[in-house]
Every structure is written in structure tokens, then in C-alpha cells.
Amino acid sequence: MGALFHAFFPILSLIFIGFILTKFNALSLSAEKVLLEITFNLSIPALIFIAVLSEPIGVIENIRFISGYFLSIIFIFLLIFIALRYFIKNNFDESMIMGMSASMSSSTLVPFPILMALFGIKALLPISIMSLSSMIFILPFFIMAIELSHAKHDS
């Protein structure tokens, strides 16, 4: 229980500080944009690069881990997509975007700080594999599906 508290407390503290700064307009919208760009365009790619280069190729090619990750992403996506599309009656695009958001939110921002706090540097490579595989394989699938849906409606 103590390890979980020590892993989540800094993250929840940062979320709370960000909320307070935004609530009282102490952090401008342009500052928020710069922080997000630094995180996504510099920090996370640098961590991924270091993790991939520091491990032997056999560790990176862990097929069971990668397939388990893909199956969990697909399961979460399908669960949300079907619930929104067929039970709540959202349109295709909304259901795709919400399914994508639910399934892919667990691949970059959420696990990095939590797993690093719990497992240290050895968690960096699995997180990097998850992020890279999401960006290379899963995200293009979602974009193509939405674009094909739009092309079908336009013709």
C-alpha cells in the first residue's frame, strides 16, 4: 500500500497543482501548450530513445508482451465503441474517438510516472514499446477508419 501511495502521490499532486494554476489563471493557455509540446515532442521521445538503445534486441522483441498489449487495447476499444455506438447511439466518429481515447490513454501519459515510481528504470522499456507500438500501428488504424467513414458518407 505504501508503494502505491508513493507512486500516485506525486502524480496526483501535479494534477492538483495544474488544476489550481488553471483555476486561478496563474498558468496561461500558451504556457500549457508549451508544456504539452515539450512533454510530447522532447521528453517522451528522448526517454523512448534512451530505453530502446540501452536494451539488447531480444528484450525489445518480446512478442508475448506486445501481443498482450495489443489485445488489451483492442478489447478496451471494442468495449467502449460497442457500448457507445449501439447502446448509447452515438455516431460512428464519436464512438471511434471515445474508444480510441479510452484505449490509448493508458499507453503514454498515465503509465510513465506511475510505473517509473513503482519499478524504476526497468519499467522504461515496456512503456516505450507500448508508446511506439501505439503510434506506429494503432493510431494510424483509428485515423484510417474515421477517414474511410467520412469518404463513404461523402460519396
Side-chain angles (χ1 to χ4, degrees), residues 107-119:
S107 66
T108 304
L109 288 179
V110 175
F112 260 86
I114 294 171
L115 293 176
M116 289 293 287
L118 287 174
F119 302 110

Side-chain angles (χ1 to χ4, degrees), residues 51-154:
V52 171
L53 285 182
S54 65
E55 293 292 334
I57 194 72
V59 176
I60 296 170
E61 294 176 335
N62 190 341
I63 300 300
R64 287 180 51 197
F65 174 77
I66 294 172
S67 60
Y69 171 70
F70 277 126
L71 288 174
S72 66
I73 291 291
I74 291 166
F75 175 75
I76 293 168
F77 167 76
L78 287 174
L79 184 71
I80 300 300
F81 178 80
I82 290 168
L84 292 175
R85 182 80 172 128
Y86 297 105
F87 296 113
I88 300 179
K89 306 289 187 208
N90 283 3
N91 66 33
F92 181 82
D93 291 350
E94 288 176 343
S95 301
M96 281 292 288
I97 291 171
M98 295 301 281
M100 181 181 72
S101 298
S103 63
M104 291 188 62
S105 65
S106 61
S107 66
T108 304
L109 288 179
V110 175
F112 260 86
I114 294 171
L115 293 176
M116 289 293 287
L118 287 174
F119 302 110
I121 198 73
K122 65 183 176 181
L124 189 56
L125 184 63
I127 298 167
S128 300
I129 291 171
M130 290 181 341
S131 296
L132 282 173
S133 60
S134 293
M135 288 180 236
I136 293 170
F137 300 111
I138 297 173
L139 188 60
F141 165 76
F142 287 127
I143 292 170
M144 285 189 299
I146 291 173
E147 289 297 324
L148 288 172
S149 167
H150 282 232
K152 189 186 293 185
H153 289 294
D154 291 341

Side-chain angles (χ1 to χ4, degrees), residues 1-11 113-120:
M1 185 69 174
L4 283 176
F5 175 77
H6 288 292
F8 281 100
F9 182 74
I11 297 159
I114 294 171
L115 293 176
M116 289 293 287
L118 287 174
F119 302 110

Side-chain angles (χ1 to χ4, degrees), residues 8-76:
F8 281 100
F9 182 74
I11 297 159
L12 293 176
S13 299
L14 285 173
I15 292 170
F16 181 72
I17 290 168
F19 171 76
I20 295 298
L21 290 174
T22 304
K23 181 82 171 160
F24 294 108
N25 294 326
L27 191 63
S28 68
L29 189 57
S30 61
E32 290 176 25
K33 185 177 178 186
V34 168
L35 289 172
L36 278 173
E37 286 179 7
I38 288 172
T39 301
F40 278 107
N41 297 331
L42 183 67
S43 301
I44 292 176
L47 278 172
I48 291 171
F49 185 73
I50 290 168
V52 171
L53 285 182
S54 65
E55 293 292 334
I57 194 72
V59 176
I60 296 170
E61 294 176 335
N62 190 341
I63 300 300
R64 287 180 51 197
F65 174 77
I66 294 172
S67 60
Y69 171 70
F70 277 126
L71 288 174
S72 66
I73 291 291
I74 291 166
F75 175 75
I76 293 168

